[in-house]
Amino acid sequence: MTTNQLIQNIQKKKSFLCIGLDVDLDKIPPHLLQKEDPIFAFNKAIIDATHQLCVAYKPNTAFYEAYGLKGWKALEKTINYLNENYPEIFTIADAKRGDIGNTSSMYAKAFLEDLGFDSVTVAPYMGKDSVEPFLAFEDKHTILLALTSNEGAFDFQTKTVDGKELYKQVLETSKTWSNSQNLMYVVGATKAEYLADIRKIIPDSFLLVPGVGAQGGNLQEVCKYGMNSNVGLLINSSRGIIYASNKEDFANQARYKALELQQEMEAILHK
Amino acid sequence: MTTNQLIQNIQKKKSFLCIGLDVDLDKIPPHLLQKEDPIFAFNKAIIDATHQLCVAYKPNTAFYEAYGLKGWKALEKTINYLNENYPEIFTIADAKRGDIGNTSSMYAKAFLEDLGFDSVTVAPYMGKDSVEPFLAFEDKHTILLALTSNEGAFDFQTKTVDGKELYKQVLETSKTWSNSQNLMYVVGATKAEYLADIRKIIPDSFLLVPGVGAQGGNLQEVCKYGMNSNVGLLINSSRGIIYASNKEDFANQARYKALELQQEMEAILHK
C-alpha cells in the first residue's frame, strides 16, 4: 500500500485508528476456546465488527509465537483474511526485528513478501544495514522504534548522544538511509510532550503511536503535538478495544470502544 | 543449564565453539530437498557430525521464519532433537527480541520455556522492562546485544552517550537489572580491539562472539582480549562450517571445519 492510499483511507473513514490484535487465550471469551482455531476465530470476529472504524490492524508477533505452530498458523490466517476481505486496511506486523544485513533480508521477505504485511516494526540498535533490507520493498513500510511507550525508554533512548538524545539521533540518521521514504516511526503516546520536537526532525513521516488507553496515553495530547497536514498518525489501541468484554457480545463491545475512539478522532479531524 | 555446567563442558570438550544453524534451502545440498523436512534433515546431519566438537548451537530464527509454518516446525524439531539427544549442549535462540514488559514475557516464555532453549538473544533499545522478563527464568540466559559484528554497529552503538559509548552504557546499565547474573552479551569478532575495554566492565560474563570466518573476525585476537579465567567466550561460526560442502559429504566436511576451529581453541586453552 502506498502512503497516499493510507491517507485517502484515513480521510474516507475519518479515522486514524489502528487496532492491536494481541490475542491472549487467557483473556478471550471462554466460549471461543471450543473452536478449532480460537485465536483466528477471535481475530475474525473483532475484524468483522471493527473494520469500518479503523484504518490499520497490528498483530504483535509475540502473542502468536507464544502458541508455537498453532500461533504462527493463526497469524497467517489473520493476515490472509485481512488481505482477501479488507484490502484497504493497512497491516502492521509488530515484530520489532533487526539483524545483520543478510539476516534482516530473511525477516523482511518473511513479513513483507511471504506473509504479505504492508509494514513491519524494526529495532534500530544494529544500524543502517540492519534496516535497509526492509526499506528495499516498494510500497511497503518499515516502522522504526524511536521513542517507545514503556518506562525502559528512559534507559537509553532519551540519553544524550553526541549532544542530542539517542531517539533524535535515530530519527536523523535514519533519514540518510536508502529508501528512507518508506520509513515510519514508533513514538509512544505516553511521551506526547516529545512529539513537538520529533515533528521538527520528521515533519512528514507517519508515526505509529501505541500506549493510548491501557498504558495511559492521551489522544488529544498526541494529536496536539504530533499531527501534520496529512494527519501523519496511526493511534494504536489493543487491550482497551479487543478485551472490552469476554462474553458472547465481545465483538459488539469491541466495536463500541473502537467507535468511541473513531468519533473522538473525527471531531479532531473536523477542527 | 547453569553457567558452571557450561564451563565444565568447555573444559571437557576443549572447545568453546558455537555452531550457527542458519539454514538456507538455496545453499544446502540439493539431494536433501527430496526429504520430507529438508531443514531438519540438514540440521540433524550437521549436529550428529559436529556435536563432540562444539558446546553450543545457535539457530537464527530469521532463517526459520522465512519458511513460515514449515520453518517454525523445523525449529521445534531441531531444539527437541538437541534437548533429547545432546542435553549437555547449550542452546541459543538467536531471535534478537525485545518489547514492552508484558509482551517480552510472551517471547521469554516461548523461547525459554515452551521451546526449551537455554538462552535467547535480546535487543537493548527498549531498556530494563523489555529485558527483565527474560532474566526472570532460573538457569536460563539472556544474551544482550552490546557491540554487534556488522558495519551498522557504528551508527549508534559506538556513539558517545553521556560521556561513554552507547554499548558501554548498555553493559553498565544492564548490570543493575534484576537477575543480571543471567546475562551474557553479544560482541562481534570484527570488533576484537574493543574487548579489553569491555572486559573492564563485565570481567566475568560470557560473551557470544559471532563474526569469526565469513565476516572476517580473527579467533586469536578475540581470545587475546576477551578470554577470562573461565574462558568466558562462545565463538560462533555459521556459514564457514555448515556450508563447507553442498555435496553428499556435507556433514563430514562441516565436521572438518569444526575440528579445525576446535583444535585451534584447544591450543589456545593449553597455553
Side-chain angles (χ1 to χ4, degrees):
Chain A
M1 183 180 295
T2 66
T3 307
N4 276 339
Q5 287 172 314
L6 173 61
I7 295 168
Q8 283 164 18
N9 208 26
I10 289 172
Q11 290 165 340
K12 188 173 140 205
K13 287 181 165 175
K14 301 177 178 34
S15 171
F16 41 101
L17 177 62
C18 173
I19 298 179
L21 298 171
D22 299 350
V23 186
D24 182 338
L25 292 181
D26 293 337
K27 289 186 186 158
I28 71 172
H31 74 275
L32 290 179
L33 299 176
Q34 320 301 326
K35 303 261 183 184
E36 197 198 327
D37 184 344
I39 302 173
F40 177 67
F42 179 78
N43 281 348
K44 181 178 177 305
I46 294 284
I47 292 165
D48 288 341
T50 59
H51 70 94
Q52 290 170 316
L53 303 168
C54 68
V55 292
Y57 287 100
K58 178 179 78 62
N60 185 310
T61 53
F63 290 81
Y64 298 84
E65 292 180 28
Y67 298 109
L69 274 181
K70 73 176 178 184
W72 202 260
K73 199 166 187 172
L75 180 66
E76 277 192 14
K77 282 164 76 176
T78 302
I79 181 66
N80 289 342
Y81 185 75
L82 282 167
N83 283 338
E84 280 162 24
N85 295 279
Y86 308 110
E88 79 285 4
I89 288 285
F90 185 74
T91 54
I92 302 168
D94 193 2
K96 299 185 176 70
R97 298 297 197 265
D99 209 302
I100 63 170
N102 67 329
T103 308
S104 265
S105 298
M106 308 290 278
Y107 280 130
K109 184 176 171 296
F111 287 106
L112 299 177
E113 194 172 291
D114 300 342
L115 286 171
F117 279 93
D118 290 311
S119 66
V120 58
T121 58
V122 172
Y125 191 73
M126 295 179 70
K128 174 174 166 156
D129 64 89
S130 72
V131 182
E132 284 188 341
F134 293 92
L135 292 171
F137 286 78
E138 204 176 345
D139 295 339
K140 299 282 184 174
H141 306 266
T142 304
I143 311 181
L144 197 64
L145 302 185
L147 187 60
T148 55
S149 60
N150 63 325
E151 186 64 27
F154 298 113
D155 281 335
F156 308 117
Q157 296 168 26
T158 56
K159 289 283 189 293
T160 304
V161 180
D162 291 346
K164 199 168 283 179
E165 293 98 320
L166 177 59
Y167 75 92
K168 290 186 183 172
Q169 292 280 1
V170 166
L171 295 173
E172 292 195 343
T173 303
S174 67
K175 286 166 67 176
T176 68
W177 295 340
S178 297
N179 298 304
S180 63
Q181 76 279 6
N182 295 334
L183 278 169
M184 300 181 174
Y185 299 91
V186 173
V187 178
T190 51
K191 313 277 191 308
E193 68 276 20
Y194 293 77
L195 279 163
D197 273 4
I198 287 170
R199 276 299 180 209
K200 287 181 195 155
I201 305 172
I202 42 158
D204 301 325
S205 304
F206 260 85
L207 307 180
L208 171 63
V209 184
V212 164
Q215 291 181 58
N218 179 295
L219 177 62
Q220 301 289 337
E221 289 284 296
V222 169
C223 292
K224 180 176 166 189
Y225 296 112
M227 195 172 267
N228 67 18
S229 60
N230 285 320
V231 181
L233 295 171
L234 291 170
I235 306 283
N236 184 76
S237 175
S238 305
R239 288 169 276 177
I241 292 176
I242 67 174
Y243 299 130
S245 158
N246 76 341
K247 303 209 172 63
E248 297 266 346
D249 68 341
F250 72 100
N252 247 328
Q253 294 299 325
R255 187 185 150 77
Y256 290 133
K257 288 290 178 189
L259 184 63
E260 276 176 28
L261 279 168
Q262 183 274 325
Q263 288 181 335
E264 201 178 341
M265 290 176 180
E266 186 169 342
I268 292 169
L269 292 173
H270 190 69
K271 270 194 270 192
Chain B
M1 182 180 295
T2 66
T3 307
N4 276 339
Q5 287 172 315
L6 173 61
I7 294 168
Q8 283 166 16
N9 208 27
I10 289 172
Q11 289 165 340
K12 188 175 140 204
K13 286 181 165 176
K14 299 177 177 37
S15 171
F16 41 101
L17 178 61
C18 173
I19 297 180
L21 298 172
D22 300 349
V23 186
D24 182 339
L25 292 179
D26 292 337
K27 289 185 183 159
I28 70 172
H31 73 275
L32 290 179
L33 299 177
Q34 321 301 326
K35 302 262 182 183
E36 196 198 326
D37 184 343
I39 302 173
F40 177 67
F42 179 78
N43 281 347
K44 182 178 178 304
I46 293 283
I47 291 165
D48 288 341
T50 58
H51 70 94
Q52 289 169 318
L53 302 168
C54 67
V55 293
Y57 289 100
K58 178 179 78 63
N60 185 311
T61 52
F63 289 81
Y64 298 84
E65 290 179 28
Y67 298 109
L69 274 181
K70 74 178 179 185
W72 201 260
K73 199 167 187 173
L75 180 65
E76 276 193 13
K77 283 163 76 175
T78 300
I79 181 65
N80 288 342
Y81 186 75
L82 281 166
N83 282 338
E84 280 162 23
N85 295 278
Y86 308 110
E88 80 285 3
I89 289 284
F90 185 75
T91 53
I92 303 167
D94 193 2
K96 300 186 176 71
R97 297 298 197 267
D99 209 302
I100 62 169
N102 68 328
T103 309
S104 265
S105 299
M106 307 291 278
Y107 280 130
K109 183 175 172 296
F111 287 107
L112 300 177
E113 194 172 289
D114 298 342
L115 287 170
F117 279 93
D118 291 310
S119 66
V120 58
T121 58
V122 173
Y125 191 73
M126 295 179 69
K128 173 174 168 159
D129 63 271
S130 72
V131 182
E132 284 189 342
F134 293 93
L135 292 170
F137 286 78
E138 204 177 346
D139 295 338
K140 300 283 183 173
H141 306 265
T142 304
I143 312 181
L144 198 63
L145 302 185
L147 187 60
T148 55
S149 60
N150 63 324
E151 187 63 25
F154 298 114
D155 282 334
F156 308 117
Q157 296 167 26
T158 58
K159 290 282 189 292
T160 304
V161 180
D162 291 347
K164 198 168 283 179
E165 292 98 318
L166 177 58
Y167 75 92
K168 289 186 184 173
Q169 292 280 3
V170 168
L171 295 173
E172 292 196 345
T173 303
S174 68
K175 286 165 67 176
T176 68
W177 295 339
S178 296
N179 298 305
S180 63
Q181 75 280 3
N182 295 334
L183 278 169
M184 300 181 174
Y185 299 91
V186 173
V187 178
T190 52
K191 313 277 190 307
E193 69 276 20
Y194 293 77
L195 280 163
D197 273 3
I198 288 170
R199 277 299 182 206
K200 286 180 196 156
I201 305 172
I202 43 156
D204 301 325
S205 303
F206 259 85
L207 306 179
L208 171 63
V209 184
V212 164
Q215 291 182 56
N218 179 295
L219 176 62
Q220 301 289 338
E221 289 284 297
V222 169
C223 293
K224 181 176 165 190
Y225 296 111
M227 195 171 268
N228 66 19
S229 60
N230 285 321
V231 182
L233 295 172
L234 291 170
I235 306 283
N236 184 77
S237 176
S238 305
R239 288 169 275 177
I241 292 177
I242 67 174
Y243 299 129
S245 158
N246 75 341
K247 303 209 174 65
E248 299 265 345
D249 68 340
F250 72 99
N252 247 328
Q253 294 300 324
R255 186 185 151 79
Y256 290 134
K257 287 290 177 187
L259 184 63
E260 275 176 30
L261 278 168
Q262 183 275 324
Q263 288 181 335
E264 201 177 340
M265 289 176 182
E266 185 169 346
I268 291 168
L269 291 173
H270 189 68
K271 269 195 268 188

